[in-house]
Amino acid sequence: MSELQTTIEGVQGFQAVGVNCGLKKDPTLLDFALIVSDQPCVAAGVFTTNTVKAAPVLVDMQHLEASPEQIRAVAINAGCANACTGRKGMQDANITAQWVAEAIGCRPENVLVMSTGVIGTHLQLDKMRKGVEAAHASLTNDWQSAATAIMTTDTHPKMASVTVKTSQGTYTVAGIAKGAGMIAPNMATLLSTVVTDVKLNVEQAQKHLQQATKKSFNCVVVDGDMSTNDTLLLLANGMSRVELITPEAEAEFYAALEQVCVSLAQAIVRDGEGVSKFITLNIQGGYDDAVAHTIANTIATSPLVKTAFYGGDANWGRIVAAAGRAGVTFNPDCAKLWIAVGEQNSLSDDALLLFEAGKATEYDEALAQQIMGASSVTVTLDCGDGAGQATVWTCDLSHDYVSINGHYRT
Amino acid sequence: MSELQTTIEGVQGFQAVGVNCGLKKDPTLLDFALIVSDQPCVAAGVFTTNTVKAAPVLVDMQHLEASPEQIRAVAINAGCANACTGRKGMQDANITAQWVAEAIGCRPENVLVMSTGVIGTHLQLDKMRKGVEAAHASLTNDWQSAATAIMTTDTHPKMASVTVKTSQGTYTVAGIAKGAGMIAPNMATLLSTVVTDVKLNVEQAQKHLQQATKKSFNCVVVDGDMSTNDTLLLLANGMSRVELITPEAEAEFYAALEQVCVSLAQAIVRDGEGVSKFITLNIQGGYDDAVAHTIANTIATSPLVKTAFYGGDANWGRIVAAAGRAGVTFNPDCAKLWIAVGEQNSLSDDALLLFEAGKATEYDEALAQQIMGASSVTVTLDCGDGAGQATVWTCDLSHDYVSINGHYRT
């Protein structure tokens, strides 16, 4: 398996491009992306669990149900979420799929659509039509422009790819994503499309995408809000002719997929609204994995913890207090809390123990402040309660987050 | 029943005072309060449900268990929460109770203690001793100084009282509280003591205090964090000689208690950290009351909703999206959302309908912005799903909240 790249050189049989059709507040920006496969793809999707689902989410669920082995394209617009738009919203999403289908020569249900932007406004169909036409006319291998077109408050495009060499040949797993705000535990406001030229069946696609989501997009928290539009798609066109016949081959594919998804998910946190600090939260010794994950999410969504991170304050009391209100088994008398500089997957030798046996250790406050001053910090909490483990990536809550979200529509 | 007052003229047989003993960062501020009853009180308490409970919380639970009809005093310090302080923290809380008991002539278990401030530091016992001595020496009827001494990031003291005239005589219900940050659904970081000279039995005290909490302190949200120290106490010394014999008399007492608690709870939100806007969230038509309350709390804790309030943005999409991720029954196609200026208990005639049947109405955006620009706004969400109802009082999330909490310890 190759090293992870944060660029996409290309995946056999896929084309991608981002164009401008005037949907964003700044009408000169790229705002419409189109991804097309030469051959029909096996596809799978993971969607927001919000009961308020945007029209494109509902349309994609229908299309994946109707033709999970015949997906040809994904069309993504920014500038308008097409959420809370009633029957007209559904019509608009369906018309967009239809235009793409006509352009590339397939059925409307072979096209998936995604939208991101303000909730409650209707798609400007004249502009969408121009977007479809311009993108189709300029289809090429330009993933950078596609990743740029889907950005909202993101400050840079997000791409990741891994190439896998096998005895049958070489295949690639590559994805683009956008995030920035409304990043909750359990999917972010996240649009992401991952494509691969390996050959998958529908069952494999869905199983691996769900598992990879659990280990990547469901482990990132920016602000704890869950969007109406969250969508993660996987398209596999099989054009590398590599099939996953052995369990080892399947495991290798899964590893590549998880690596791409984790990279995209982490990139979303790093580029979260107003983020100045990247936090890795390792919970270990939880009663079970689910308890560990609940504790991690409660800490990661606590405004008091997040503002302390922003201030570079080693305020372990807020972290322990957040764990205590998570509504699951947690006994501070059995817990230990460490901090360390950087992104650590497990407890590092240089981690500083702040809390043990229900109270603070006699740690060096100057050292604690120095660690908390770093741009990436790992917090490890051992609950002393079992073998449960969870890792969540999150960020601080800054003045800029408030500025960005206080005036997003205006 | 008299009008609610936000001052306390006095309650028969109770004395109160706040003094300075040097516990706060600014050592000249009042920081220690003592409330003493001439006669033993029937008392009840409601405490944080955080599994990380501060030492004074654990001590009070023990003392209320040991002598629920013999409580004589409440001692409250600011500047140190005595939370996450291990065995020494318990000793320190017990010693404080013992000093007060010696000063006023009772047993240590007849004294309740409360602490607020930084988590994880130990009480400075020499200063606490001075506080006990100074407060005992100057005991009087100065509720204003007591309410001032318990403040942390509060900007003003919080008091409320109601006097009830009955055929048996007159009694008063009066309380002080502090709040500001870590104000969650289900108790705020809240210390509050309510005293009354009516005669209650233990069962009445606990029952009415729990019910009043449900309708007041459990309905306020500043930031969704729950403290290690939340404590609400009720002391009844019976010195008015009024007893609650009939159900009507008991209902009248409960009404007065609820009024005092609601006033204190709302005062905490109004004075929340960095708050610039007071929001009344009325949820109606929920599947049941519990569902309505869950939806209200999810909206009230959403950073995206709170920053939109701060920006004066009528961003109904974020409110509906928050309701949709509450994890309970909610169908946007059946929901309606209105906004209005002021603090409304129910839907007012001048409320502006923003959202209906799954999409935005054709509302007047200028009018919506004008309403959202007011310093108090009522949001009414009808879920169209049943008869469940909940009201929650909350606030915006501002730059000042981030400033205050980014650097609280430093």
Side-chain angles (χ1 to χ4, degrees):
Chain A
M1 198 159 80
S2 77
E3 287 283 294
L4 175 86
Q5 306 292 321
T6 55
T7 54
I8 302 175
E9 295 301 314
V11 190
Q12 286 181 68
F14 282 100
Q15 290 183 287
V17 74
V19 297
N20 161 260
C21 63
L23 292 167
K24 286 182 181 171
K25 235 177 284 173
D26 176 346
T28 66
L29 295 174
L30 300 182
D31 48 19
F32 186 89
L34 186 61
I35 299 167
V36 175
S37 172
D38 297 344
Q39 296 290 329
C41 298
V42 164
V46 177
F47 300 97
T48 181
T49 57
N50 199 312
T51 65
V52 183
K53 287 180 171 59
V57 170
L58 297 170
V59 166
D60 286 358
M61 293 171 90
Q62 291 167 0
H63 287 192
L64 281 176
E65 181 75 24
S67 66
E69 296 178 306
Q70 299 292 326
I71 299 299
R72 285 284 311 285
V74 183
I76 316 170
N77 76 277
C80 168
N82 193 10
C84 299
T85 45
R87 192 169 300 180
K88 175 160 165 49
M90 291 296 288
Q91 286 169 354
D92 293 350
N94 277 315
I95 288 168
T96 306
Q98 194 182 319
W99 287 335
V100 173
E102 284 165 8
I104 66 172
C106 66
R107 301 172 59 92
E109 61 263 36
N110 306 147
V111 176
L112 303 175
V113 289
M114 293 175 170
S115 296
T116 180
V118 177
I119 298 177
T121 60
H122 289 290
L123 282 176
Q124 298 174 273
L125 284 183
D126 52 336
K127 293 180 178 175
M128 288 293 288
R129 173 136 221 174
K130 275 187 212 156
V132 173
E133 285 166 3
H136 179 243
S138 56
L139 261 181
T140 174
N141 190 25
D142 185 0
W143 293 89
Q144 166 99 20
S145 70
T148 303
I150 67 175
M151 287 163 46
T152 50
T153 53
D154 308 66
T155 66
H156 59 80
K158 292 161 191 71
M159 295 176 279
S161 64
V162 169
T163 295
V164 183
K165 283 185 184 153
T166 74
S167 55
Q168 289 176 66
T170 296
Y171 69 87
T172 299
V173 180
I176 63 172
K178 61 81 49 179
M182 263 201 183
I183 306 299
N186 300 325
M187 296 287 281
T189 292
L190 142 84
L191 300 183
S192 180
T193 299
V194 178
V195 299
T196 179
D197 45 14
V198 82
K199 197 169 158 68
L200 299 179
N201 61 38
V202 173
E203 189 201 352
Q204 287 173 326
Q206 192 64 39
K207 177 181 74 178
H208 291 308
L209 187 65
Q210 274 170 349
Q211 178 62 18
T213 302
K214 213 171 139 186
K215 293 288 183 185
S216 58
F217 294 107
N218 282 3
C219 296
V220 292
V221 176
V222 170
D223 56 14
D225 266 304
M226 183 196 290
S227 150
T228 50
N229 290 59
D230 297 336
T231 303
L232 169 61
L233 299 173
L234 173 64
L235 273 66
N237 69 5
M239 289 185 72
S240 69
R241 295 169 182 262
V242 178
E243 289 186 66
L244 307 176
I245 294 166
T246 64
E248 292 72 27
E250 207 165 330
E252 192 172 40
F253 165 74
Y254 174 75
L257 178 64
E258 184 182 302
Q259 217 182 339
V260 166
C261 289
V262 167
S263 173
L264 292 172
Q266 290 189 347
I268 285 170
V269 172
R270 282 179 227 282
D271 194 27
E273 288 170 350
V275 167
S276 73
K277 212 177 278 288
F278 183 83
I279 309 291
T280 303
L281 268 178
N282 289 320
I283 311 298
Q284 57 191 49
Y287 179 78
D288 58 23
D289 284 356
V291 162
H293 207 97
T294 300
I295 289 173
N297 280 340
T298 307
I299 295 169
T301 52
S302 158
L304 285 172
V305 170
K306 295 173 96 72
T307 47
F309 285 145
Y310 176 55
D313 180 5
N315 199 320
W316 55 266
R318 293 184 183 174
I319 299 173
V320 173
R325 71 171 170 85
V328 293
T329 307
F330 177 75
N331 182 348
D333 294 336
C334 306
K336 291 183 189 185
L337 182 76
W338 296 262
I339 55 173
V341 170
E343 301 172 24
Q344 317 281 352
N345 292 321
S346 57
L347 194 61
S348 56
D349 290 341
D350 62 347
L352 180 65
L353 182 67
L354 298 180
F355 178 85
E356 186 177 23
K359 60 184 196 297
T361 61
E362 309 217 331
Y363 63 86
D364 178 349
E365 185 73 39
L367 179 56
Q369 297 299 332
Q370 190 188 318
I371 293 170
M372 290 302 293
S375 62
S376 74
V377 174
T378 296
V379 175
T380 303
L381 176 64
D382 188 326
C383 304
D385 209 31
Q389 197 278 336
T391 295
V392 162
W393 302 287
T394 188
C395 57
D396 56 345
L397 171 59
S398 70
H399 285 113
D400 283 354
Y401 177 88
V402 176
S403 297
I404 292 166
N405 286 298
H407 305 278
Y408 180 62
R409 298 198 320 162
T410 48
Chain B
M1 198 158 80
S2 76
E3 288 281 295
L4 176 85
Q5 306 293 321
T6 55
T7 54
I8 302 175
E9 294 303 313
V11 191
Q12 287 180 67
F14 282 100
Q15 291 184 284
V17 73
V19 296
N20 160 261
C21 64
L23 292 165
K24 286 182 181 170
K25 237 178 281 172
D26 177 346
T28 66
L29 296 174
L30 299 182
D31 49 18
F32 186 89
L34 186 62
I35 299 168
V36 176
S37 172
D38 296 345
Q39 297 291 328
C41 298
V42 164
V46 177
F47 300 96
T48 181
T49 57
N50 199 311
T51 65
V52 184
K53 288 180 172 58
V57 169
L58 297 171
V59 166
D60 286 358
M61 293 170 88
Q62 291 167 1
H63 288 191
L64 281 175
E65 180 76 22
S67 66
E69 297 178 307
Q70 299 291 325
I71 299 299
R72 286 283 314 282
V74 182
I76 316 170
N77 75 278
C80 168
N82 193 9
C84 299
T85 45
R87 191 170 300 180
K88 177 161 165 45
M90 290 297 286
Q91 286 169 354
D92 293 349
N94 278 314
I95 288 168
T96 306
Q98 194 181 319
W99 286 335
V100 173
E102 284 166 8
I104 65 172
C106 68
R107 300 171 60 91
E109 61 264 35
N110 306 146
V111 177
L112 302 174
V113 290
M114 293 176 169
S115 297
T116 180
V118 177
I119 297 176
T121 60
H122 290 290
L123 282 176
Q124 297 174 274
L125 284 183
D126 52 336
K127 293 180 179 175
M128 288 294 286
R129 172 137 220 174
K130 275 186 214 159
V132 173
E133 285 166 4
H136 179 245
S138 55
L139 262 179
T140 174
N141 191 24
D142 185 0
W143 292 89
Q144 167 98 17
S145 69
T148 304
I150 67 175
M151 288 163 47
T152 50
T153 53
D154 307 67
T155 65
H156 60 80
K158 293 161 190 73
M159 295 175 279
S161 63
V162 169
T163 296
V164 183
K165 285 187 183 152
T166 75
S167 55
Q168 290 177 65
T170 297
Y171 68 86
T172 299
V173 180
I176 62 172
K178 61 82 50 180
M182 261 201 185
I183 306 299
N186 301 324
M187 297 286 282
T189 290
L190 141 84
L191 301 184
S192 179
T193 300
V194 179
V195 299
T196 179
D197 46 14
V198 81
K199 198 168 158 66
L200 299 178
N201 61 39
V202 173
E203 190 202 351
Q204 286 172 326
Q206 192 64 39
K207 177 182 74 179
H208 292 307
L209 187 65
Q210 275 171 347
Q211 179 62 19
T213 302
K214 212 171 141 187
K215 293 289 182 183
S216 58
F217 294 107
N218 282 3
C219 297
V220 293
V221 176
V222 170
D223 56 15
D225 266 303
M226 183 196 292
S227 150
T228 50
N229 290 59
D230 298 335
T231 303
L232 170 61
L233 299 174
L234 173 63
L235 275 65
N237 68 6
M239 289 185 72
S240 70
R241 294 169 183 260
V242 178
E243 290 186 65
L244 306 176
I245 295 165
T246 64
E248 292 72 27
E250 207 165 332
E252 193 172 39
F253 164 75
Y254 174 75
L257 177 65
E258 184 181 303
Q259 219 182 337
V260 167
C261 289
V262 166
S263 172
L264 292 173
Q266 290 189 347
I268 285 171
V269 172
R270 281 179 227 282
D271 194 26
E273 287 171 349
V275 167
S276 72
K277 212 178 278 288
F278 183 84
I279 309 291
T280 303
L281 269 179
N282 290 319
I283 311 298
Q284 57 191 49
Y287 179 80
D288 58 22
D289 285 356
V291 162
H293 207 97
T294 299
I295 289 172
N297 280 340
T298 307
I299 295 169
T301 51
S302 158
L304 285 171
V305 170
K306 295 175 95 70
T307 48
F309 284 145
Y310 175 55
D313 180 7
N315 200 319
W316 55 265
R318 293 184 184 174
I319 299 173
V320 173
R325 71 172 169 86
V328 294
T329 308
F330 177 76
N331 182 347
D333 294 336
C334 307
K336 291 183 188 185
L337 181 76
W338 296 263
I339 55 172
V341 170
E343 302 172 23
Q344 318 281 353
N345 292 322
S346 57
L347 194 61
S348 57
D349 290 342
D350 62 347
L352 180 66
L353 183 66
L354 299 180
F355 177 86
E356 188 177 22
K359 60 184 196 294
T361 62
E362 308 216 332
Y363 63 87
D364 178 349
E365 185 74 38
L367 179 56
Q369 297 298 332
Q370 190 188 319
I371 293 170
M372 290 300 295
S375 62
S376 74
V377 175
T378 296
V379 175
T380 302
L381 175 65
D382 188 326
C383 304
D385 208 31
Q389 197 277 335
T391 295
V392 161
W393 301 288
T394 189
C395 58
D396 56 344
L397 171 59
S398 70
H399 285 113
D400 283 353
Y401 177 87
V402 176
S403 296
I404 292 166
N405 285 297
H407 305 279
Y408 180 62
R409 298 198 320 161
T410 49

